[in-house]
């Protein structure tokens, strides 16, 4: 992938348009679990078509549950690696969350208790994953549906501790930062500044909506918020160009508007990122 | 509370039925939990966001989602399935969940023989109404090799089927499948529900609009047939099921 780049997320509903307009963006993000069937990988037509695009493929896993206090789900990782052999992704990211708790499949990205002990345990699991997959591995900050009172350290310290210990990358989800900042009333710019940005390897942008309790959600069903673009530009000014993916999985608009968002991410990288690099 | 304790308490909270949630102290008094476990569960249950999250994620939600959707065979593809779930239930939260549900079903349908035991239990413990229809569709559609069934029953081939209940379920399914193969025009479907302790209620749908049940007692030795009854014609199977629930026959 070139240094300035923007991509879109694969979705079955978007597939035809995605492949048709592939020249307008640089990479395709894939949720690998969408291709897991019955604990095995099936070489579906979608997989064949994805491979045929020759675009860099970015894996974005949703079910490794790397934040759980249980041991790593090695069978799940094995499936992931089998799919990697087929699609040859350039990077593999997972959410810094859990989707299983004590044998219960939660089915949602669930926040963790931010403690040093857990950070160290997650870093240990990440080291194993990195050694296994052989491609860059990233963790992504999530939008927190709740924050527990028993946290020992801040979220940014928790993330930094994992990054520095595991030496993995960070997939910085700008919209998740904004979502949390609104729901928990903090300054997203200060949050970003507290993060060790040297680990950022990829960025996510999306839009969301408020639920019935007026809680902001990272629901991926709206255009990217203006505030997200502003925070994105702030990060790019600091870091230079970073591969960026627009996430849109609900309320799917005309494909052209997604292409425009991908182009806008490229423009911001060109405008602010190159300046940052020169400085 | 550490992460492990948090997970344990969250798992309990997710499993907790609504009436226990409303009367938490009563539930805690009636269950043998350590003081720490009780306190952790209290903390999560009294935490507004966590409690709300636990409520949404409780196991029953899967069935609630599925049963609230008028699903039929035409919806058995990922695009429609996810759209349906999003449309019918909590569109802002359910995408990952919908993917998972779809994949679980697909896994079940496509690869019956390889399905992990846990997944069997998950579904057979409380099968959604259209469960067997989906299974049947996939069995017919994916050309699973059931030809050897007569000489070598599938249940004997599979180390995954451990309980009488599972054998019973599969037995009936295969019977139904064979019947359907013999006479494709005959409409026949069924579902099995857990019935009290060690007892299963096998729902039958015989022909168009006729409903009945078979009652089996399951013990360590095997299956004892207790009762069979055809209750005549009913407008809808779900209302018949509701009648049984209300009568206390079916838990």
């Amino acid at each position: 992938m070139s240094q300035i780049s923007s991509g879109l997320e694969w979705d079955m509903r978007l597939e035809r348009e995605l492949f048709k307009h592939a020249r307008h963006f640089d990479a395709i993000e894939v949720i690998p679990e969408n291709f897991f069937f019955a604990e095995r990988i099936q070489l579906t037509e979608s997989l064949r078509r994805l491979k045929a695009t020759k675009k860099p493929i970015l894996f974005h896993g949703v079910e490794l549950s790397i934040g759980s206090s249980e041991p790593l789900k090695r069978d799940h990782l094995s499936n992931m690696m089998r799919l990697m052999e087929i699609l040859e992704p350039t990077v593999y990211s997972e959410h810094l969350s859990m989707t299983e708790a004590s044998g219960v499949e939660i089915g949602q990205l669930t926040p963790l208790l931010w403690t040093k002990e857990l950070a160290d345990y997650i870093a240990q699991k990440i080291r194993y994953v990195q050694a296994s997959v052989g491609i860059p591995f990233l963790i992504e900050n999530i939008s927190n549906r709740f924050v527990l009172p028993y946290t020992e350290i801040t979220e940014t310290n928790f993330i930094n501790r994992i990054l520095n210990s595991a030496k993995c990358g960070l997939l910085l989800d700008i919209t998740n930062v904004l979502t949390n900042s609104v729901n928990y009333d903090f300054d997203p710019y200060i949050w970003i500044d507290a993060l060790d940005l040297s680990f950022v390897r990829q960025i996510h942008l999306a839009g969301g909506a408020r639920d019935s309790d007026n809680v902001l959600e990272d629901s991926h069903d709206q255009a990217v918020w203006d505030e997200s673009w502003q925070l994105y530009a702030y990060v790019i000014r600091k870091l230079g160009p970073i591969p960026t993916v627009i996430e849109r999985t609900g309320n799917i608009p005309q494909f052209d508007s997604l292409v425009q968002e991908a182009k806008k991410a490229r423009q911001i990288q060109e405008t602010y990122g190159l300046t940052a690099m020169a400085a | 509370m550490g992460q492990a304790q948090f997970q344990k308490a969250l798992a309990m909270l997710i499993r907790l039925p609504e009436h226990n949630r409303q009367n938490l102290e009563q539930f805690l008094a009636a269950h043998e939990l350590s003081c720490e476990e009780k306190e952790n569960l209290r903390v999560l249950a009294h935490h507004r966001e966590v409690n709300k999250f636990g409520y949404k994620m409780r196991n029953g939600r899967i069935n609630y989602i599925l049963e609230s959707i008028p699903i039929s065979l035409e919806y058995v593809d990922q695009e429609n399935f996810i759209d349906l779930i999003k449309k019918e239930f909590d569109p802002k939260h359910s995408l990952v969940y919908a993917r998972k549900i779809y994949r679980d079903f697909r896994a079940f349908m496509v690869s019956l023989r390889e399905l992990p035991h846990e997944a069997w239990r998950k579904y057979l413990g409380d099968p959604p109404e259209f469960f067997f229809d989906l299974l049947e569709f996939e069995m017919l559609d994916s050309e699973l090799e059931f030809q050897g069934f007569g000489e070598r029953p599938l249940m004997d081939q599979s180390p995954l089927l451990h309980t009488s209940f599972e054998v019973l379920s599969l037995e009936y399914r295969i019977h139904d499948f064979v019947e359907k193969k013999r006479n494709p025009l005959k409409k026949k479907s069924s579902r099995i529900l857990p019935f009290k302790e060690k007892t299963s209620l096998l729902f039958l749908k015989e022909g168009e609009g006729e409903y009945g049940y078979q009652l089996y007692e399951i013990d360590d030795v095997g299956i004892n047939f207790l009762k069979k009854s055809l209750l005549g014609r009913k407008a809808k199977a779900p209302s018949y099921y509701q009648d049984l629930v209300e009568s206390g026959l079916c838990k």
Side-chain angles (χ1 to χ4, degrees):
Chain A
M1 196 173 359
S2 61
Q3 196 153 25
I4 293 176
S5 73
S6 62
L8 296 173
E9 188 172 338
W10 177 86
D11 186 292
M12 189 176 276
R13 292 161 295 181
L14 284 175
E15 191 179 77
R16 186 179 295 176
E17 294 284 299
L18 198 67
F19 295 155
K20 187 176 163 188
H21 300 288
R23 67 185 183 283
H24 295 303
F25 53 90
D26 307 297
I28 301 175
E29 185 174 272
V30 167
I31 293 183
E33 283 90 345
N34 280 336
F35 299 99
F36 288 15
F37 297 116
E39 309 303 322
R40 66 184 182 195
I41 308 299
Q42 287 184 329
L43 196 55
T44 61
E45 277 307 308
S46 288
L47 275 181
R48 290 193 182 92
R49 287 194 289 266
L50 262 171
K51 201 164 168 56
T53 64
K54 308 282 186 195
K55 290 280 177 189
I57 289 175
L58 322 171
F59 269 19
H60 187 46
V62 291
E63 285 176 26
L64 190 61
S65 199
I66 200 151
S68 303
S69 62
E70 283 100 348
L72 188 70
K73 292 165 66 179
R74 295 194 184 198
D75 288 348
H76 192 84
L77 184 62
S78 298
N79 268 331
M80 195 68 72
M81 289 164 66
R82 276 194 282 277
L83 192 61
M84 284 176 183
E85 286 172 15
I86 298 170
L87 285 179
E88 301 177 80
T90 55
V91 69
Y92 169 32
S93 60
E94 278 283 346
H95 299 84
L96 186 53
S97 72
M98 63 172 172
T99 51
E100 293 180 23
S102 299
V104 170
E105 289 180 354
I106 307 173
Q108 288 286 337
L109 305 172
T110 306
L112 308 170
L113 206 61
W114 303 324
T115 65
K116 291 176 187 171
E117 185 187 3
L118 182 64
D120 295 343
Y121 184 54
I122 292 172
Q124 190 185 323
K125 288 203 269 188
I126 291 173
R127 282 193 288 273
Y128 180 88
V129 173
Q130 289 187 122
S132 303
V133 299
I135 57 173
F137 180 77
L138 323 179
I139 51 170
E140 183 188 33
N141 57 300
I142 66 165
S143 96
N144 296 310
R145 292 171 197 282
F146 52 80
V147 175
L148 287 165
Y150 296 95
T151 53
E152 179 185 289
I153 53 180
T154 63
E155 185 178 22
T156 46
N157 281 344
F158 182 71
I159 295 172
N160 289 343
R161 189 177 177 100
I162 295 171
L163 296 173
N164 281 285
S165 173
K167 306 293 180 203
C168 64
L170 178 65
L171 194 179
L172 178 60
D173 191 311
I174 296 282
T175 307
N176 285 347
V177 178
L178 268 172
T179 302
N180 290 336
S181 75
V182 171
N183 291 338
Y184 300 106
D185 193 24
F186 63 79
D187 186 331
Y189 291 84
I190 293 176
W191 193 96
I192 291 283
D193 287 344
L195 209 57
D196 192 339
L197 293 175
S198 65
F199 288 97
V200 177
R201 297 287 177 273
Q202 193 186 324
I203 288 177
H204 269 172
L205 288 168
R210 289 184 186 274
D211 72 3
S212 52
D213 290 340
N214 209 27
V215 174
L216 201 55
E217 293 185 326
D218 175 39
S219 48
H220 300 180
D221 59 1
Q222 305 291 327
V224 176
W225 303 325
D226 288 343
E227 294 88 345
S228 292
W229 287 119
Q230 289 160 18
L231 191 58
Y232 176 65
Y234 178 75
V235 171
I236 296 297
R237 266 194 209 103
K238 283 173 171 274
L239 294 178
I242 298 284
T244 302
V245 169
I246 310 293
E247 293 182 294
R248 186 68 180 256
T249 46
N251 191 21
I252 304 286
Q254 290 289 316
F255 192 78
D256 185 56
S257 61
L258 293 180
V259 170
Q260 293 309 317
E261 288 187 319
K263 283 182 178 173
K264 184 169 179 177
R266 282 186 67 92
Q267 283 164 5
I268 290 174
Q269 291 177 60
E270 284 163 1
T271 307
Y272 300 111
L274 298 178
T275 314
M277 287 177 79
Chain B
M1 194 193 310
Q3 174 71 20
Q5 291 77 25
F6 161 53
Q7 286 182 209
K8 195 170 181 181
L10 183 64
M12 285 175 68
L13 185 71
I14 288 172
R15 287 194 179 109
L16 207 60
E18 185 55 26
H19 64 278
N20 290 135
R21 195 181 299 265
Q22 298 292 339
N23 300 289
L24 186 65
E25 287 309 317
Q26 207 175 24
F27 171 81
L28 293 176
H31 287 78
E32 287 186 14
L33 299 169
S34 71
C35 290
E36 187 193 20
E37 287 170 337
K38 288 183 181 181
E39 186 51 30
N40 290 341
L41 188 55
R42 270 192 202 100
V43 168
L44 296 195
H46 292 144
H47 189 292
R48 187 176 173 276
E49 284 82 18
V50 179
N51 192 37
K52 185 180 158 194
F53 182 81
Y55 179 76
K56 279 189 169 179
M57 297 307 129
R58 50 184 286 220
N59 286 354
R61 181 169 177 246
I62 295 179
N63 289 335
Y64 175 72
I65 295 171
L66 298 178
E67 287 180 355
S68 68
I69 297 168
I71 194 143
S72 64
L73 299 184
E74 69 197 82
Y75 295 125
V76 186
D77 70 79
Q78 185 171 10
E79 182 180 347
N80 284 328
F81 196 81
I82 288 176
D83 274 351
L84 263 175
I85 288 181
K86 289 181 71 183
K87 201 179 295 172
E88 297 290 334
F89 194 87
D90 199 1
K92 295 182 189 67
H93 266 140
S94 61
L95 189 64
V96 173
Y97 217 57
R99 283 194 180 112
K100 174 137 197 64
I101 292 166
Y102 171 77
R103 206 166 47 253
D104 282 354
F105 266 88
R106 180 114 190 114
F108 180 83
M109 293 185 289
V110 171
S111 203
L112 183 63
R113 293 180 193 188
E114 293 172 19
L115 201 73
H117 182 235
E118 273 309 301
W120 261 104
R121 294 207 62 79
K122 183 173 161 185
Y123 289 117
L124 294 176
D126 190 9
E129 189 181 336
F130 58 92
F131 170 79
F132 291 122
D133 289 335
L134 286 172
L135 173 60
E136 184 160 85
F137 168 76
E138 196 63 35
M139 286 166 83
L140 292 166
D141 191 56
S142 64
E143 298 178 354
L144 286 174
E145 294 176 1
F146 274 65
Q147 290 86 344
F149 165 62
E151 305 124 33
R152 197 176 165 210
L154 184 65
M155 63 196 80
D156 290 341
Q157 290 177 37
S158 173
L160 303 173
L161 304 174
H162 297 301
T163 70
S164 302
F165 181 64
E166 289 162 356
V167 173
L168 171 68
S169 308
L170 187 62
E171 187 180 53
Y172 189 80
R173 277 306 311 132
I174 291 171
H175 170 74
D176 203 353
F177 176 75
V178 172
E179 282 294 303
K180 189 114 182 178
K181 276 280 192 190
R182 283 185 188 143
N183 184 2
L185 296 176
K186 185 180 177 185
K187 287 188 176 179
K188 189 170 185 175
S189 62
S190 67
R191 57 181 176 155
I192 299 173
L193 296 163
F195 180 65
K196 307 289 185 190
E197 276 289 313
K198 293 184 176 177
T199 312
S200 281
L201 190 64
L202 178 62
F203 274 73
L204 303 173
K205 183 183 175 188
E206 305 264 8
E208 195 63 50
E210 286 186 351
Y211 298 92
Y213 66 89
Q214 290 177 350
L215 196 58
Y216 293 86
E217 186 182 52
I218 300 172
D219 57 28
D220 296 338
V221 182
I223 305 165
N224 302 310
F225 174 69
L226 292 181
K227 190 180 179 184
K228 176 176 179 176
S229 176
L230 278 176
L231 299 184
R233 300 180 73 83
K234 291 271 180 180
K236 285 180 181 176
S239 65
Y240 166 61
Y241 167 49
Q242 193 60 36
D243 291 343
L244 281 167
V245 172
E246 285 169 8
S247 71
L249 260 176
C250 186
K251 69 176 178 182

